[in-house]
Amino acid sequence: MISSLHATEQGVGSKTIVLLHGFGGCSDGWRDVVASLAPSVRTLAYDLPGHGLSLDFPGAGPAKVAARAVLADLATRAAKRIHLVGHSMGGAVATLMALAEPEKVASLTLLAPGGFGPEINGPLLRRYAGAHSPSEIRACLAAMSGPRAPPFDHAADTLCDMRKRPGQPEKLVEIAAAMTRDDRQGVIPRDQLERLAMPVMVVWGSDDAVLPFTQADDLPARFHVHHVLEAGHMLVEEAPDLVADIIQRNMNRRARPIRPRLATATG
């Protein structure tokens, strides 16, 4: 293992899509989404710090660390502007990246993003962190998904293999404990979200058992919100074709100028 950030790169083209997985996942989780994207795009699917081949990245855990790490890695690659996609914890990371370097982000697609409200299903995420066998992992994925979710056999096998790496189970337990302390999560202030001028799409399953879909309420008017009926938290696995379509539609939207708020008249 080396203390660096791992990314799986596929495709070639003038447009680059950066994919950030959720807690406990890895870059392979985007496999079906990437297969549904246009072949003329380049994709970079990262293993976030503390996960998979980025297990030993220094200071892994906080979303701020991951955001800085991905931005630093992107600076070494030939990608002037990116279309940024994040799921769950990866959604929080993507949002922080867009706030830090908005000129680099051409579009932002957030799938049940972390950090949009304090509520979080801490017990389920801690159970997921401690799951080791394919059957345990499969049960957690099912609990996090909607009633029509497909079988999670491939995902469970992939995640099981990832957790066999020395130190991975302990790191996941550590991250989950910090992320769900007091069964609350850190929140990105709404006034910061108002600063995002690039096209932003927020996607949420109506049956999300990890982060309530009501966290998509009261977002800036420029944001587009898409609710997926009978889908749960694992949107990447539950609806990869839909996710790919939404990413591509958001890539084709134009940024809207941010208009300054009018001062309240007094006197």
Side-chain angles (χ1 to χ4, degrees), residues 22-23 87-89 111-114 124-125 141 143-146 203-212 231-238:
F23 168 71
H87 171 237
S88 195
M89 182 180 77
L111 312 172
L124 179 53
L125 285 174
L141 294 175
M144 291 190 280
S145 302
V203 187
W204 228 296
S206 64
D207 289 35
D208 195 322
V210 179
L211 301 173
H233 188 68
M234 305 303 292
L235 293 167
V236 177
E237 289 83 5
E238 293 181 68

Side-chain angles (χ1 to χ4, degrees), residues 47-186:
D47 282 353
L48 292 177
H51 295 73
L53 296 177
S54 302
L55 172 61
D56 294 334
F57 193 89
K64 290 181 180 179
V65 170
R68 288 194 295 265
V70 177
L71 285 171
D73 186 81
L74 285 169
T76 69
R77 300 175 183 267
K80 293 182 180 179
R81 297 189 81 210
I82 60 169
H83 296 276
L84 188 53
V85 183
H87 171 237
S88 195
M89 182 180 77
V93 175
T95 304
L96 294 175
M97 288 173 59
L99 288 168
E101 297 189 18
E103 70 285 350
K104 195 175 189 67
V105 181
S107 72
L108 181 62
T109 304
L110 305 172
L111 312 172
F116 276 41
E119 302 86 2
I120 189 169
N121 190 335
L124 179 53
L125 285 174
R126 292 190 292 272
R127 175 185 156 203
Y128 177 49
H132 298 302
S133 70
S135 61
E136 290 175 315
I137 296 170
R138 207 159 35 236
C140 290
L141 294 175
M144 291 190 280
S145 302
R148 297 188 179 182
F152 288 102
D153 294 341
H154 174 77
D157 289 342
T158 298
L159 295 174
C160 185
D161 288 342
M162 183 185 95
R163 293 165 192 231
K164 289 177 181 176
R165 297 189 180 106
Q168 182 67 87
E170 293 81 3
K171 175 56 72 172
L172 292 181
V173 169
E174 174 192 324
I175 294 173
M179 187 171 61
T180 66
R181 187 174 292 115
D182 299 323
D183 290 333
R184 311 293 275 179
Q185 67 169 338

